[in-house]
């Protein structure tokens, strides 16, 4: 659920928590319902009389007619039953997600013996997750795998527990190589957090082949391959936790990030299918799986503030998502976590008729008033060359106010760059290749022209010789 950081702590999630622990708290509502019902019985008249007498002595004027005890009893009973049903739902959801298995005593009480691998932790959500783990658990080892260089440094006391591996996760051979190095240098991770992800910010028609390829490989293929590398050891020991960072865009795709949304839908299928395989195929029913499904997060990937209710669906801070991840790991149990909590009920609306869901929810993503900025520089083969560090990253770390951020002047998109390149004159090497392709044709035309000129000269020469012979014959006839 959203925390005190979002919208100054005033949002639907905070209100829901208050209602849940008061009006819908079955441990409060049901006793009130029982007491109100008891006071309506004839045998309890003396207790009710004593109550009014004591209140009148204290200066509180109460009249038995002012209390509608049957109505109070019914209302409290209804609220208590709703709260009990909610608790039962939470209970069944938790234990179904964890195969009805309990942890060993103290198994996840401390993470000091765990090795936590976080992809994409050089900044953003991964960075804050790593820092929280280091601060709260003095023995945990953190393995960071990211293509971008580290934008933060651990303290001197924590430096020996942090291991950074630079890797382009969009390349399978790199995933295999870096996995071997991690196992050899650090050991087998017991917690895998698939956090790394990117979006190019192009529409389906604007994006190049390389844009689509790098997005799918990084967001979907890499989690598959990392699971293949590290989860077999978790399954063998029947101990581990896999955390997947999904997105609400998997359920409600927004224009401009359709490729990203498609990969997150695939990641959700990966989470659900893997849970079944670990339980039924590999008999590893205590390997926990958590799927974090957040709404928009205040990161450099997103520019502007979404045009949606900040009370109902506030823009999340990275610390909120990171804290949710850490608390979930500390609990020792997996599950599906929506941020903010109302997003769970948004997904339920998919059960509505298609046209209703389209007009109520899906069309709303067209006018979000936000931009999606791809920070990665990619090559023509779909690999990463560099990551652009934006000023918004620094601003996001220092600015914790709820005032809308003033976005930096956006850098030109790759689509715009390609358009500009198309308007520029061709590069010399391209001109040379074009000229080389035209040489045979020019040579053929020159040869034909030369043959034609030779034929014309020969014809002129023949006419000249014939004229000269006729002239000689005429002179010879006149002289005779």
């Amino acid at each position: 659920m959203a925390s005190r950081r979002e919208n100054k702590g005033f949002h639907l999630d905070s209100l829901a928590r208050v209602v849940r622990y008061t009006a819908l708290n079955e441990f409060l509502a049901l006793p009130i319902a029982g007491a109100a019902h008891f006071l309506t019985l004839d045998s309890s008249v003396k207790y009710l009389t004593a109550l009014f007498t004591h209140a009148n002595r204290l200066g509180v004027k109460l009249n038995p007619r002012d209390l509608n005890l049957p109505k109070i009893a019914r209302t409290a009973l209804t609220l208590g039953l709703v709260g009990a049903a909610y608790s039962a739902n939470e209970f069944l959801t938790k234990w179904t997600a964890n195969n009805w298995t309990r942890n060993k005593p103290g198994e996840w009480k401390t993470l000091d013996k765990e090795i936590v691998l976080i992809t994409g932790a050089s900044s953003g959500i991964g960075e804050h997750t790593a820092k929280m783990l280091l601060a709260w658990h003095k023995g945990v080892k953190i393995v960071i795998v990211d293509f971008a260089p580290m934008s933060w440094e651990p303290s001197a006391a924590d430096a020996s527990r942090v291991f950074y591996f630079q890797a382009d996760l969009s390349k399978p051979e790199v995933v295999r190589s870096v996995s071997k190095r991690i196992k050899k240098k650090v050991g087998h991770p017991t917690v895998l957090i698939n956090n790394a992800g990117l979006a190019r910010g192009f529409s389906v028609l604007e994006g190049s082949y390389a844009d689509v390829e790098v997005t799918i490989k990084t967001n979907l293929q890499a989690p598959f391959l990392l699971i293949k590398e590290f989860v077999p050891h978790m399954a063998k020991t029947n101990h581990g936790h896999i955390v997947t960072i999904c997105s609400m865009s998997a359920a409600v795709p927004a224009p401009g990030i359709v490729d990203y949304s498609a990969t997150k839908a695939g990641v959700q299928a990966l989470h659900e299918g893997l849970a079944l395989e670990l339980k039924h195929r590999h008999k590893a029913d205590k390997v926990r799986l958590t799927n974090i499904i957040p709404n928009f997060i205040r990161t450099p990937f997103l520019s502007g503030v979404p045009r949606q209710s900040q009370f109902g669906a506030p823009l999340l801070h990275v610390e909120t998502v990171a804290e949710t991840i850490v608390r979930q790991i500390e609990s020792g149990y997996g599950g599906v976590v929506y941020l903010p909590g109302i997003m769970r009920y948004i997904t339920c609306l998919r059960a509505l008729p298609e046209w209703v869901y389209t007009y109520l929810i899906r069309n709303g993503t067209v006018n979000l008033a936000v931009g999606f900025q791809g920070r990665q520089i990619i090559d023509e083969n779909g690999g990463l060359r560099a990551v652009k560090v934006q000023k918004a990253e620094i601003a996001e770390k220092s600015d914790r106010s709820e005032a809308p951020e003033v976005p930096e002047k956006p850098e030109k998109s790759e689509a715009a760059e390609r358009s500009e390149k198309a308007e520029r004159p061709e590069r010399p090497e391209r001109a040379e290749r074009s000229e080389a392709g035209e040489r045979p044709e020019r040579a053929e035309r020159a040869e034909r022209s030369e043959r034609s000129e030779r034929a014309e000269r020969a014809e002129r020469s023949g006419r000249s010789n014939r004229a000269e012979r006729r002239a000689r014959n005429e002179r010879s006839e006149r002289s005779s």
Side-chain angles (χ1 to χ4, degrees):
M1 301 180 79
S3 71
R4 64 186 182 279
R5 302 181 184 92
E6 285 72 36
N7 203 36
K8 299 181 180 178
F10 182 68
H11 43 73
L12 191 58
D13 272 12
S14 61
L15 181 61
R17 276 193 292 267
V18 173
V19 174
R20 176 69 180 97
Y21 293 120
T22 54
L24 294 182
N25 186 344
E26 62 271 27
F27 298 106
L28 291 177
L30 292 179
I32 291 174
H37 176 70
F38 175 74
L39 292 175
T40 61
L41 301 177
D42 294 338
S43 59
S44 63
V45 172
K46 59 180 181 179
Y47 298 105
L48 188 60
T49 303
L51 175 64
F52 289 141
T53 302
H54 184 68
N56 290 330
R57 288 175 181 173
L58 295 176
V60 180
K61 302 298 182 180
L62 287 179
N63 190 326
R65 296 179 181 179
D66 295 336
L67 294 178
N68 191 341
L69 291 176
K71 185 176 181 180
I72 293 175
R74 289 194 300 269
T75 302
L77 179 63
T78 301
L79 294 174
L81 291 177
V82 172
Y86 187 86
S87 295
N89 177 67
E90 287 186 322
F91 176 84
L92 294 172
T93 300
K94 173 184 175 180
W95 292 107
T96 300
N98 292 279
N99 306 314
W100 298 92
T101 59
R102 291 187 176 274
N103 298 319
K104 297 176 182 177
E107 185 175 2
W108 291 97
K109 185 176 181 181
T110 176
L111 304 181
D112 291 346
K113 296 182 180 179
E114 310 297 338
I115 300 175
V116 181
L117 189 155
I118 312 174
T119 62
S122 67
S123 61
I125 297 172
E127 172 193 346
H128 289 278
T129 303
K131 288 180 176 178
M132 288 181 184
L133 287 169
L134 290 171
W136 298 348
H137 301 276
K138 298 304 180 183
V140 67
K141 294 181 180 178
I142 305 295
V143 178
I144 296 172
V145 180
D146 203 331
F147 181 79
M150 291 279 284
S151 64
W152 60 281
E153 293 184 5
S155 63
D158 296 333
S160 61
R161 298 189 287 136
V162 178
F163 304 86
Y164 170 76
F165 295 85
Q166 195 275 341
D168 180 358
L169 294 176
S170 67
K171 298 179 179 178
E173 64 277 9
V174 174
V175 174
R176 181 182 291 109
S177 173
V178 75
S179 298
K180 290 180 179 178
R181 290 162 54 202
I182 291 171
K183 294 172 188 175
K184 183 177 180 180
K185 184 174 181 179
V186 188
H188 289 273
T190 54
V191 178
L192 171 62
I193 303 177
N194 282 314
N195 168 69
L198 57 86
R200 303 297 299 145
F202 297 126
S203 72
V204 175
L205 303 185
E206 291 172 342
S208 66
Y209 277 39
D211 292 322
V212 176
E213 187 176 359
V214 73
T215 302
I216 293 177
K217 285 185 174 181
T218 303
N219 296 3
L220 182 57
Q221 178 181 276
F224 262 94
L225 299 181
L226 290 169
I227 286 171
K228 290 178 67 67
E229 289 288 345
F230 298 115
V231 175
H233 183 265
M234 299 183 193
K236 182 179 179 181
T237 60
N238 202 16
H239 173 82
H241 202 140
I242 306 160
V243 180
T244 302
I245 309 300
C246 191
S247 171
M248 272 302 296
S249 65
V252 191
I257 53 169
V258 177
D259 51 355
Y260 175 85
S261 302
T263 60
K264 291 304 180 180
V267 163
Q268 185 163 345
L270 168 62
H271 164 83
E272 296 172 359
L274 179 62
L276 294 175
E277 289 187 351
L278 287 173
K279 177 183 177 181
H280 298 286
R281 296 286 184 89
H282 305 288
K283 309 303 178 185
D285 53 2
K286 292 180 68 176
V287 175
R288 310 306 187 189
L289 291 94
T290 292
N291 193 17
I292 307 292
I293 306 180
N295 195 29
F296 292 115
I297 307 171
R298 192 188 297 269
T299 65
F301 162 62
L302 185 72
S303 64
V305 177
R307 189 179 293 158
Q308 60 186 23
S309 170
Q310 292 300 301
F311 173 75
L315 184 62
L316 299 169
H317 286 269
V318 290
E319 294 94 330
T320 299
V321 183
E323 185 176 356
T324 301
I325 295 170
V326 175
R327 294 303 186 193
Q328 191 70 21
I329 296 171
E330 290 175 337
S331 73
Y333 294 99
V336 179
V337 182
Y338 289 86
L339 292 172
I342 193 178
M343 293 296 110
R344 177 184 299 276
Y345 305 103
I346 296 296
T347 59
C348 293
L349 296 179
R350 293 185 68 90
L352 293 172
E354 186 67 19
W355 65 271
V356 177
Y357 181 74
T358 298
Y359 281 105
L360 288 181
I361 304 299
R362 188 177 293 159
N363 285 349
T365 63
V366 177
N367 302 312
L368 287 172
V370 294
F372 306 102
Q373 304 173 7
R375 299 188 298 150
Q376 295 75 20
I377 301 174
I378 61 176
D379 56 34
E380 62 277 5
N381 297 320
L384 297 178
R385 282 196 296 160
V387 175
K388 294 177 283 187
V389 179
Q390 300 181 3
K391 294 180 181 180
E393 280 192 65
I394 302 172
E396 194 279 327
K397 290 182 181 180
S398 58
D399 180 19
R400 291 296 179 264
S401 66
E402 289 298 322
E405 295 180 356
V406 179
E408 297 290 332
K409 183 178 180 181
E411 299 185 17
K412 293 180 180 178
S413 65
E414 293 196 5
E417 290 179 0
R418 287 197 295 270
S419 176
E420 287 186 4
K421 289 180 181 178
E423 295 175 359
R424 297 172 189 162
E426 282 191 311
R427 293 184 300 183
E429 58 267 25
R430 290 187 179 179
E432 290 176 5
R433 286 197 296 268
S434 177
E435 184 179 353
E438 293 178 358
R439 283 173 185 168
E441 186 177 351
R442 288 203 301 269
E444 186 177 351
R445 288 199 300 267
E447 187 177 352
R448 285 198 302 268
S449 177
E450 187 177 352
R451 285 200 300 267
S452 177
E453 289 178 1
R454 284 200 300 267
E456 289 179 1
R457 285 197 298 270
E459 187 176 353
R460 287 196 298 270
S461 177
R463 288 198 298 268
S464 176
N465 291 337
R466 286 195 297 273
E468 187 177 350
R469 284 197 297 272
R470 283 197 301 271
R472 283 201 300 270
N473 291 336
E474 289 176 357
R475 287 196 298 272
S476 177
E477 288 176 358
R478 283 196 299 269
S479 62
S480 59

